[in-house]
mmCIF file of all heavy atoms in Angstrom:
data_model
loop_
_atom_site.group_PDB
_atom_site.id
_atom_site.type_symbol
_atom_site.label_atom_id
_atom_site.label_comp_id
_atom_site.label_asym_id
_atom_site.label_seq_id
_atom_site.Cartn_x
_atom_site.Cartn_y
_atom_site.Cartn_z
ATOM 1 N N TRP A 1118 0.831 -1.204 0.000
ATOM 2 C CA TRP A 1118 0.000 0.000 0.000
ATOM 3 C C TRP A 1118 0.870 1.260 0.000
ATOM 4 O O TRP A 1118 2.044 1.231 0.372
ATOM 5 C CB TRP A 1118 -0.900 0.012 1.244
ATOM 6 C CG TRP A 1118 -1.741 -1.203 1.379
ATOM 7 C CD1 TRP A 1118 -1.586 -2.217 2.287
ATOM 8 C CD2 TRP A 1118 -2.850 -1.572 0.556
ATOM 9 N NE1 TRP A 1118 -2.543 -3.178 2.099
ATOM 10 C CE2 TRP A 1118 -3.336 -2.815 1.037
ATOM 11 C CE3 TRP A 1118 -3.497 -0.981 -0.525
ATOM 12 C CZ2 TRP A 1118 -4.415 -3.467 0.475
ATOM 13 C CZ3 TRP A 1118 -4.578 -1.633 -1.081
ATOM 14 C CH2 TRP A 1118 -5.027 -2.852 -0.595
ATOM 15 N N PRO A 1119 0.253 2.394 -0.375
ATOM 16 C CA PRO A 1119 0.973 3.663 -0.202
ATOM 17 C C PRO A 1119 1.412 3.832 1.255
ATOM 18 O O PRO A 1119 0.793 3.292 2.177
ATOM 19 C CB PRO A 1119 -0.075 4.712 -0.597
ATOM 20 C CG PRO A 1119 -1.004 3.991 -1.526
ATOM 21 C CD PRO A 1119 -1.071 2.584 -0.996
ATOM 22 N N TYR A 1120 2.450 4.611 1.449
ATOM 23 C CA TYR A 1120 3.121 4.704 2.752
ATOM 24 C C TYR A 1120 2.672 5.947 3.525
ATOM 25 O O TYR A 1120 2.535 7.037 2.963
ATOM 26 C CB TYR A 1120 4.629 4.766 2.520
ATOM 27 C CG TYR A 1120 5.483 4.612 3.741
ATOM 28 C CD1 TYR A 1120 5.498 3.423 4.464
ATOM 29 C CD2 TYR A 1120 6.301 5.651 4.176
ATOM 30 C CE1 TYR A 1120 6.308 3.268 5.586
ATOM 31 C CE2 TYR A 1120 7.119 5.507 5.288
ATOM 32 C CZ TYR A 1120 7.111 4.315 5.990
ATOM 33 O OH TYR A 1120 7.907 4.168 7.093
ATOM 34 N N ASN A 1121 2.432 5.769 4.815
ATOM 35 C CA ASN A 1121 2.119 6.887 5.714
ATOM 36 C C ASN A 1121 0.950 7.744 5.216
ATOM 37 O O ASN A 1121 1.021 8.973 5.231
ATOM 38 C CB ASN A 1121 3.349 7.775 5.921
ATOM 39 C CG ASN A 1121 4.227 7.291 7.056
ATOM 40 O OD1 ASN A 1121 3.817 6.438 7.844
ATOM 41 N ND2 ASN A 1121 5.421 7.836 7.151
ATOM 42 N N VAL A 1122 -0.113 7.081 4.795
ATOM 43 C CA VAL A 1122 -1.264 7.821 4.263
ATOM 44 C C VAL A 1122 -2.143 8.399 5.358
ATOM 45 O O VAL A 1122 -2.946 9.297 5.109
ATOM 46 C CB VAL A 1122 -2.107 6.920 3.344
ATOM 47 C CG1 VAL A 1122 -1.299 6.462 2.156
ATOM 48 C CG2 VAL A 1122 -2.679 5.719 4.109
ATOM 49 N N GLY A 1123 -2.048 7.870 6.588
ATOM 50 C CA GLY A 1123 -2.948 8.304 7.642
ATOM 51 C C GLY A 1123 -4.381 7.988 7.266
ATOM 52 O O GLY A 1123 -4.663 6.936 6.681
ATOM 53 N N PRO A 1124 -5.319 8.896 7.557
ATOM 54 C CA PRO A 1124 -6.728 8.638 7.219
ATOM 55 C C PRO A 1124 -7.073 8.959 5.767
ATOM 56 O O PRO A 1124 -8.230 8.807 5.355
ATOM 57 C CB PRO A 1124 -7.477 9.581 8.168
ATOM 58 C CG PRO A 1124 -6.542 10.740 8.327
ATOM 59 C CD PRO A 1124 -5.152 10.151 8.316
ATOM 60 N N ASN A 1125 -6.085 9.372 4.981
ATOM 61 C CA ASN A 1125 -6.361 9.860 3.627
ATOM 62 C C ASN A 1125 -6.163 8.838 2.521
ATOM 63 O O ASN A 1125 -6.339 9.150 1.341
ATOM 64 C CB ASN A 1125 -5.475 11.074 3.332
ATOM 65 C CG ASN A 1125 -5.798 12.242 4.221
ATOM 66 O OD1 ASN A 1125 -6.962 12.540 4.460
ATOM 67 N ND2 ASN A 1125 -4.759 12.906 4.724
ATOM 68 N N GLY A 1126 -5.747 7.596 2.896
ATOM 69 C CA GLY A 1126 -5.514 6.593 1.877
ATOM 70 C C GLY A 1126 -5.550 5.201 2.473
ATOM 71 O O GLY A 1126 -5.681 5.033 3.695
ATOM 72 N N PRO A 1127 -5.403 4.176 1.640
ATOM 73 C CA PRO A 1127 -5.510 2.797 2.116
ATOM 74 C C PRO A 1127 -4.193 2.238 2.638
ATOM 75 O O PRO A 1127 -3.117 2.628 2.213
ATOM 76 C CB PRO A 1127 -5.936 2.050 0.850
ATOM 77 C CG PRO A 1127 -5.252 2.804 -0.259
ATOM 78 C CD PRO A 1127 -5.263 4.251 0.178
ATOM 79 N N GLY A 1128 -4.278 1.331 3.582
ATOM 80 C CA GLY A 1128 -3.168 0.479 3.963
ATOM 81 C C GLY A 1128 -2.149 1.041 4.918
ATOM 82 O O GLY A 1128 -1.862 0.478 5.948
ATOM 83 N N ASN A 1129 -1.525 2.165 4.521
ATOM 84 C CA ASN A 1129 -0.545 2.858 5.367
ATOM 85 C C ASN A 1129 0.848 2.220 5.378
ATOM 86 O O ASN A 1129 1.740 2.695 6.056
ATOM 87 C CB ASN A 1129 -1.057 2.977 6.806
ATOM 88 C CG ASN A 1129 -0.607 4.273 7.465
ATOM 89 O OD1 ASN A 1129 -0.659 5.333 6.848
ATOM 90 N ND2 ASN A 1129 -0.169 4.196 8.706
ATOM 91 N N CYS A 1130 1.034 1.115 4.646
ATOM 92 C CA CYS A 1130 2.333 0.432 4.659
ATOM 93 C C CYS A 1130 2.432 -0.474 3.425
ATOM 94 O O CYS A 1130 1.414 -1.026 3.015
ATOM 95 C CB CYS A 1130 2.460 -0.405 5.931
ATOM 96 S SG CYS A 1130 4.047 -1.268 6.127
ATOM 97 N N CYS A 1131 3.552 -0.697 2.855
ATOM 98 C CA CYS A 1131 4.882 -0.240 3.181
ATOM 99 C C CYS A 1131 5.584 0.215 1.901
ATOM 100 O O CYS A 1131 6.802 0.188 1.802
ATOM 101 C CB CYS A 1131 5.681 -1.354 3.842
ATOM 102 S SG CYS A 1131 5.022 -1.891 5.447
ATOM 103 N N SER A 1132 4.787 0.550 0.895
ATOM 104 C CA SER A 1132 5.317 1.115 -0.348
ATOM 105 C C SER A 1132 6.116 0.122 -1.192
ATOM 106 O O SER A 1132 6.985 0.497 -1.967
ATOM 107 C CB SER A 1132 6.174 2.345 -0.040
ATOM 108 O OG SER A 1132 6.352 3.172 -1.151
ATOM 109 N N PHE A 1133 5.811 -1.187 -1.048
ATOM 110 C CA PHE A 1133 6.378 -2.183 -1.957
ATOM 111 C C PHE A 1133 5.640 -2.131 -3.300
ATOM 112 O O PHE A 1133 4.601 -1.512 -3.427
ATOM 113 C CB PHE A 1133 6.215 -3.591 -1.378
ATOM 114 C CG PHE A 1133 7.216 -3.973 -0.328
ATOM 115 C CD1 PHE A 1133 7.108 -3.472 0.966
ATOM 116 C CD2 PHE A 1133 8.266 -4.841 -0.608
ATOM 117 C CE1 PHE A 1133 8.011 -3.831 1.946
ATOM 118 C CE2 PHE A 1133 9.177 -5.206 0.374
ATOM 119 C CZ PHE A 1133 9.048 -4.698 1.654
ATOM 120 N N PHE A 1134 6.198 -2.855 -4.290
ATOM 121 C CA PHE A 1134 5.526 -3.096 -5.573
ATOM 122 C C PHE A 1134 5.217 -1.781 -6.285
ATOM 123 O O PHE A 1134 4.072 -1.473 -6.602
ATOM 124 C CB PHE A 1134 4.256 -3.912 -5.334
ATOM 125 C CG PHE A 1134 3.721 -4.606 -6.569
ATOM 126 C CD1 PHE A 1134 4.557 -5.120 -7.526
ATOM 127 C CD2 PHE A 1134 2.349 -4.751 -6.745
ATOM 128 C CE1 PHE A 1134 4.042 -5.774 -8.647
ATOM 129 C CE2 PHE A 1134 1.822 -5.399 -7.858
ATOM 130 C CZ PHE A 1134 2.667 -5.914 -8.805
ATOM 131 N N ALA A 1135 6.266 -1.002 -6.536
ATOM 132 C CA ALA A 1135 6.116 0.298 -7.181
ATOM 133 C C ALA A 1135 6.124 0.142 -8.696
ATOM 134 O O ALA A 1135 7.101 -0.362 -9.264
ATOM 135 C CB ALA A 1135 7.250 1.219 -6.746
ATOM 136 N N PRO A 1136 5.061 0.555 -9.384
ATOM 137 C CA PRO A 1136 5.041 0.444 -10.846
ATOM 138 C C PRO A 1136 6.237 1.154 -11.475
ATOM 139 O O PRO A 1136 6.710 2.177 -10.981
ATOM 140 C CB PRO A 1136 3.719 1.117 -11.222
ATOM 141 C CG PRO A 1136 2.844 0.931 -10.020
ATOM 142 C CD PRO A 1136 3.789 1.072 -8.851
ATOM 143 N N SER A 1137 6.706 0.596 -12.571
ATOM 144 C CA SER A 1137 7.929 1.095 -13.195
ATOM 145 C C SER A 1137 7.665 2.311 -14.078
ATOM 146 O O SER A 1137 6.548 2.544 -14.547
ATOM 147 C CB SER A 1137 8.569 -0.020 -14.037
ATOM 148 O OG SER A 1137 7.741 -0.355 -15.132
ATOM 149 N N PHE A 1138 8.715 3.097 -14.302
ATOM 150 C CA PHE A 1138 8.643 4.192 -15.272
ATOM 151 C C PHE A 1138 8.231 3.637 -16.633
ATOM 152 O O PHE A 1138 7.402 4.217 -17.337
ATOM 153 C CB PHE A 1138 10.015 4.870 -15.409
ATOM 154 C CG PHE A 1138 10.443 5.697 -14.239
ATOM 155 C CD1 PHE A 1138 11.160 5.139 -13.189
ATOM 156 C CD2 PHE A 1138 10.162 7.052 -14.200
ATOM 157 C CE1 PHE A 1138 11.586 5.912 -12.117
ATOM 158 C CE2 PHE A 1138 10.580 7.843 -13.134
ATOM 159 C CZ PHE A 1138 11.294 7.273 -12.081
ATOM 160 N N GLU A 1139 8.844 2.527 -17.009
ATOM 161 C CA GLU A 1139 8.600 1.929 -18.330
ATOM 162 C C GLU A 1139 7.148 1.538 -18.496
ATOM 163 O O GLU A 1139 6.564 1.738 -19.570
ATOM 164 C CB GLU A 1139 9.526 0.717 -18.505
ATOM 165 C CG GLU A 1139 9.811 0.325 -19.938
ATOM 166 C CD GLU A 1139 8.810 -0.678 -20.479
ATOM 167 O OE1 GLU A 1139 7.987 -1.189 -19.694
ATOM 168 O OE2 GLU A 1139 8.855 -0.944 -21.691
ATOM 169 N N LEU A 1140 6.546 0.975 -17.446
ATOM 170 C CA LEU A 1140 5.127 0.620 -17.543
ATOM 171 C C LEU A 1140 4.280 1.876 -17.711
ATOM 172 O O LEU A 1140 3.386 1.908 -18.567
ATOM 173 C CB LEU A 1140 4.678 -0.149 -16.301
ATOM 174 C CG LEU A 1140 3.178 -0.509 -16.296
ATOM 175 C CD1 LEU A 1140 2.846 -1.466 -17.437
ATOM 176 C CD2 LEU A 1140 2.754 -1.096 -14.952
ATOM 177 N N GLY A 1141 4.553 2.897 -16.917
ATOM 178 C CA GLY A 1141 3.792 4.133 -17.068
ATOM 179 C C GLY A 1141 3.862 4.682 -18.474
ATOM 180 O O GLY A 1141 2.843 5.065 -19.075
ATOM 181 N N ASN A 1142 5.052 4.710 -19.034
ATOM 182 C CA ASN A 1142 5.227 5.211 -20.400
ATOM 183 C C ASN A 1142 4.447 4.384 -21.418
ATOM 184 O O ASN A 1142 4.007 4.903 -22.452
ATOM 185 C CB ASN A 1142 6.705 5.190 -20.786
ATOM 186 C CG ASN A 1142 7.565 6.101 -19.934
ATOM 187 O OD1 ASN A 1142 7.067 6.975 -19.235
ATOM 188 N ND2 ASN A 1142 8.878 5.891 -19.987
ATOM 189 N N SER A 1143 4.298 3.105 -21.148
ATOM 190 C CA SER A 1143 3.641 2.192 -22.097
ATOM 191 C C SER A 1143 2.192 2.569 -22.360
ATOM 192 O O SER A 1143 1.622 2.165 -23.382
ATOM 193 C CB SER A 1143 3.716 0.756 -21.576
ATOM 194 O OG SER A 1143 5.049 0.322 -21.453
ATOM 195 N N PHE A 1144 1.582 3.338 -21.468
ATOM 196 C CA PHE A 1144 0.184 3.734 -21.642
ATOM 197 C C PHE A 1144 0.034 4.968 -22.524
ATOM 198 O O PHE A 1144 -1.082 5.439 -22.736
ATOM 199 C CB PHE A 1144 -0.459 3.985 -20.270
ATOM 200 C CG PHE A 1144 -0.732 2.722 -19.487
ATOM 201 C CD1 PHE A 1144 0.174 2.271 -18.539
ATOM 202 C CD2 PHE A 1144 -1.884 1.982 -19.709
ATOM 203 C CE1 PHE A 1144 -0.063 1.110 -17.816
ATOM 204 C CE2 PHE A 1144 -2.137 0.820 -18.987
ATOM 205 C CZ PHE A 1144 -1.232 0.377 -18.041
ATOM 206 N N ARG A 1145 1.137 5.493 -23.032
ATOM 207 C CA ARG A 1145 1.066 6.626 -23.956
ATOM 208 C C ARG A 1145 0.375 6.177 -25.248
ATOM 209 O O ARG A 1145 0.610 5.058 -25.735
ATOM 210 C CB ARG A 1145 2.467 7.141 -24.268
ATOM 211 C CG ARG A 1145 2.508 8.325 -25.216
ATOM 212 C CD ARG A 1145 2.003 9.593 -24.561
ATOM 213 N NE ARG A 1145 2.979 10.170 -23.643
ATOM 214 C CZ ARG A 1145 2.666 11.091 -22.725
ATOM 215 N NH1 ARG A 1145 1.408 11.495 -22.604
ATOM 216 N NH2 ARG A 1145 3.606 11.585 -21.941
ATOM 217 N N THR A 1146 -0.484 7.022 -25.816
ATOM 218 C CA THR A 1146 -1.164 6.690 -27.074
ATOM 219 C C THR A 1146 -0.842 7.734 -28.141
ATOM 220 O O THR A 1146 -0.413 8.847 -27.839
ATOM 221 C CB THR A 1146 -2.696 6.623 -26.889
ATOM 222 O OG1 THR A 1146 -3.186 7.880 -26.397
ATOM 223 C CG2 THR A 1146 -3.079 5.526 -25.905
ATOM 224 N N ASP A 1147 -1.067 7.333 -29.404
ATOM 225 C CA ASP A 1147 -0.844 8.266 -30.509
ATOM 226 C C ASP A 1147 -2.103 9.090 -30.748
ATOM 227 O O ASP A 1147 -3.090 8.993 -30.012
ATOM 228 C CB ASP A 1147 -0.375 7.528 -31.757
ATOM 229 C CG ASP A 1147 -1.433 6.589 -32.346
ATOM 230 O OD1 ASP A 1147 -2.634 6.714 -32.013
ATOM 231 O OD2 ASP A 1147 -1.056 5.722 -33.163
ATOM 232 N N ALA A 1148 -2.091 9.897 -31.796
ATOM 233 C CA ALA A 1148 -3.215 10.799 -32.069
ATOM 234 C C ALA A 1148 -4.510 10.051 -32.355
ATOM 235 O O ALA A 1148 -5.600 10.605 -32.185
ATOM 236 C CB ALA A 1148 -2.858 11.722 -33.236
ATOM 237 N N THR A 1149 -4.396 8.786 -32.772
ATOM 238 C CA THR A 1149 -5.593 7.996 -33.068
ATOM 239 C C THR A 1149 -6.058 7.182 -31.863
ATOM 240 O O THR A 1149 -7.085 6.499 -31.938
ATOM 241 C CB THR A 1149 -5.335 7.035 -34.242
ATOM 242 O OG1 THR A 1149 -4.406 6.014 -33.833
ATOM 243 C CG2 THR A 1149 -4.782 7.781 -35.447
ATOM 244 N N GLY A 1150 -5.302 7.215 -30.769
ATOM 245 C CA GLY A 1150 -5.696 6.474 -29.578
ATOM 246 C C GLY A 1150 -5.144 5.074 -29.504
ATOM 247 O O GLY A 1150 -5.576 4.280 -28.661
ATOM 248 N N LEU A 1151 -4.160 4.760 -30.339
ATOM 249 C CA LEU A 1151 -3.534 3.441 -30.320
ATOM 250 C C LEU A 1151 -2.188 3.497 -29.597
ATOM 251 O O LEU A 1151 -1.561 4.559 -29.516
ATOM 252 C CB LEU A 1151 -3.332 2.932 -31.753
ATOM 253 C CG LEU A 1151 -4.617 2.611 -32.530
ATOM 254 C CD1 LEU A 1151 -4.286 2.212 -33.965
ATOM 255 C CD2 LEU A 1151 -5.426 1.524 -31.842
ATOM 256 N N PRO A 1152 -1.728 2.375 -29.069
ATOM 257 C CA PRO A 1152 -0.440 2.367 -28.365
ATOM 258 C C PRO A 1152 0.730 2.549 -29.327
ATOM 259 O O PRO A 1152 0.613 2.330 -30.536
ATOM 260 C CB PRO A 1152 -0.417 0.988 -27.705
ATOM 261 C CG PRO A 1152 -1.303 0.130 -28.546
ATOM 262 C CD PRO A 1152 -2.386 1.045 -29.044
ATOM 263 N N LEU A 1153 1.875 2.926 -28.762
ATOM 264 C CA LEU A 1153 3.082 3.142 -29.555
ATOM 265 C C LEU A 1153 3.854 1.827 -29.627
ATOM 266 O O LEU A 1153 4.771 1.572 -28.849
ATOM 267 C CB LEU A 1153 3.927 4.245 -28.918
ATOM 268 C CG LEU A 1153 3.201 5.579 -28.670
ATOM 269 C CD1 LEU A 1153 4.147 6.598 -28.036
ATOM 270 C CD2 LEU A 1153 2.616 6.132 -29.969
ATOM 271 N N LEU A 1154 3.487 1.006 -30.583
ATOM 272 C CA LEU A 1154 4.037 -0.347 -30.671
ATOM 273 C C LEU A 1154 5.493 -0.377 -31.121
ATOM 274 O O LEU A 1154 6.144 -1.423 -31.033
ATOM 275 C CB LEU A 1154 3.184 -1.191 -31.633
ATOM 276 C CG LEU A 1154 1.720 -1.384 -31.241
ATOM 277 C CD1 LEU A 1154 0.995 -2.228 -32.282
ATOM 278 C CD2 LEU A 1154 1.605 -2.023 -29.864
ATOM 279 N N ASP A 1155 5.998 0.761 -31.577
ATOM 280 C CA ASP A 1155 7.390 0.805 -32.028
ATOM 281 C C ASP A 1155 8.371 1.029 -30.877
ATOM 282 O O ASP A 1155 9.581 1.121 -31.098
ATOM 283 C CB ASP A 1155 7.579 1.890 -33.085
ATOM 284 C CG ASP A 1155 7.246 3.290 -32.574
ATOM 285 O OD1 ASP A 1155 6.817 3.422 -31.401
ATOM 286 O OD2 ASP A 1155 7.403 4.254 -33.351
ATOM 287 N N GLY A 1156 7.867 1.110 -29.647
ATOM 288 C CA GLY A 1156 8.732 1.297 -28.500
ATOM 289 C C GLY A 1156 9.109 2.736 -28.220
ATOM 290 O O GLY A 1156 9.857 3.013 -27.269
ATOM 291 N N SER A 1157 8.563 3.658 -28.992
ATOM 292 C CA SER A 1157 8.941 5.064 -28.835
ATOM 293 C C SER A 1157 8.357 5.699 -27.575
ATOM 294 O O SER A 1157 8.649 6.858 -27.267
ATOM 295 C CB SER A 1157 8.515 5.870 -30.063
ATOM 296 O OG SER A 1157 7.099 5.835 -30.224
ATOM 297 N N TYR A 1158 7.551 4.962 -26.840
ATOM 298 C CA TYR A 1158 6.980 5.508 -25.592
ATOM 299 C C TYR A 1158 8.062 5.830 -24.565
ATOM 300 O O TYR A 1158 7.829 6.610 -23.638
ATOM 301 C CB TYR A 1158 5.949 4.542 -25.007
ATOM 302 C CG TYR A 1158 6.423 3.116 -24.828
ATOM 303 C CD1 TYR A 1158 7.155 2.734 -23.712
ATOM 304 C CD2 TYR A 1158 6.130 2.145 -25.784
ATOM 305 C CE1 TYR A 1158 7.598 1.425 -23.544
ATOM 306 C CE2 TYR A 1158 6.567 0.833 -25.622
ATOM 307 C CZ TYR A 1158 7.293 0.482 -24.510
ATOM 308 O OH TYR A 1158 7.732 -0.815 -24.351
ATOM 309 N N ASN A 1159 9.241 5.246 -24.701
ATOM 310 C CA ASN A 1159 10.326 5.543 -23.764
ATOM 311 C C ASN A 1159 11.233 6.676 -24.234
ATOM 312 O O ASN A 1159 12.209 7.006 -23.562
ATOM 313 C CB ASN A 1159 11.190 4.296 -23.528
ATOM 314 C CG ASN A 1159 10.558 3.328 -22.547
ATOM 315 O OD1 ASN A 1159 9.762 3.718 -21.707
ATOM 316 N ND2 ASN A 1159 10.913 2.058 -22.657
ATOM 317 N N SER A 1160 10.939 7.253 -25.375
ATOM 318 C CA SER A 1160 11.747 8.367 -25.864
ATOM 319 C C SER A 1160 11.366 9.634 -25.109
ATOM 320 O O SER A 1160 10.278 9.736 -24.534
ATOM 321 C CB SER A 1160 11.538 8.564 -27.368
ATOM 322 O OG SER A 1160 10.202 8.970 -27.632
ATOM 323 N N GLY A 1161 12.255 10.620 -25.117
ATOM 324 C CA GLY A 1161 12.069 11.822 -24.317
ATOM 325 C C GLY A 1161 10.736 12.512 -24.499
ATOM 326 O O GLY A 1161 10.127 12.966 -23.529
ATOM 327 N N GLY A 1162 10.274 12.601 -25.732
ATOM 328 C CA GLY A 1162 9.027 13.306 -25.988
ATOM 329 C C GLY A 1162 7.789 12.554 -25.549
ATOM 330 O O GLY A 1162 6.724 13.165 -25.391
ATOM 331 N N ASN A 1163 7.910 11.256 -25.354
ATOM 332 C CA ASN A 1163 6.738 10.443 -25.007
ATOM 333 C C ASN A 1163 6.732 9.953 -23.562
ATOM 334 O O ASN A 1163 5.711 9.448 -23.091
ATOM 335 C CB ASN A 1163 6.658 9.234 -25.944
ATOM 336 C CG ASN A 1163 6.281 9.621 -27.357
ATOM 337 O OD1 ASN A 1163 5.470 10.517 -27.577
ATOM 338 N ND2 ASN A 1163 6.895 8.953 -28.333
ATOM 339 N N GLU A 1164 7.852 10.072 -22.871
ATOM 340 C CA GLU A 1164 7.884 9.652 -21.476
ATOM 341 C C GLU A 1164 6.839 10.422 -20.666
ATOM 342 O O GLU A 1164 6.644 11.623 -20.871
ATOM 343 C CB GLU A 1164 9.256 9.921 -20.862
ATOM 344 C CG GLU A 1164 10.380 9.084 -21.404
ATOM 345 C CD GLU A 1164 11.705 9.494 -20.796
ATOM 346 O OE1 GLU A 1164 12.091 10.657 -20.984
ATOM 347 O OE2 GLU A 1164 12.345 8.661 -20.134
ATOM 348 N N LEU A 1165 6.192 9.727 -19.730
ATOM 349 C CA LEU A 1165 5.248 10.412 -18.860
ATOM 350 C C LEU A 1165 5.977 11.399 -17.968
ATOM 351 O O LEU A 1165 7.048 11.102 -17.427
ATOM 352 C CB LEU A 1165 4.501 9.408 -17.972
ATOM 353 C CG LEU A 1165 3.352 8.598 -18.558
ATOM 354 C CD1 LEU A 1165 2.653 7.834 -17.443
ATOM 355 C CD2 LEU A 1165 2.352 9.477 -19.285
#
């Protein structure tokens, strides 16, 4: 769960299992709404 959330979030411990930068970038879409299958989601202009 997120760490030290107090009453504002779930769990309160211990910040394991952090999604990767690469996974976040993978959700980038092109102008038509399709994924960037060429791997360019990790390039500077497409990184989240």
Side-chain angles (χ1 to χ4, degrees):
W1118 304 108
Y1120 191 65
N1121 273 347
V1122 298
N1125 295 317
N1129 214 44
C1130 182
C1131 296
S1132 199
F1133 280 76
F1134 199 35
S1137 66
F1138 288 90
E1139 203 270 352
L1140 178 64
N1142 297 344
S1143 298
F1144 287 96
R1145 180 71 76 196
T1146 58
D1147 66 17
T1149 69
L1151 293 176
L1153 306 180
L1154 299 180
D1155 61 357
S1157 62
Y1158 52 83
N1159 281 335
S1160 66
N1163 290 323
E1164 292 176 299
L1165 282 188

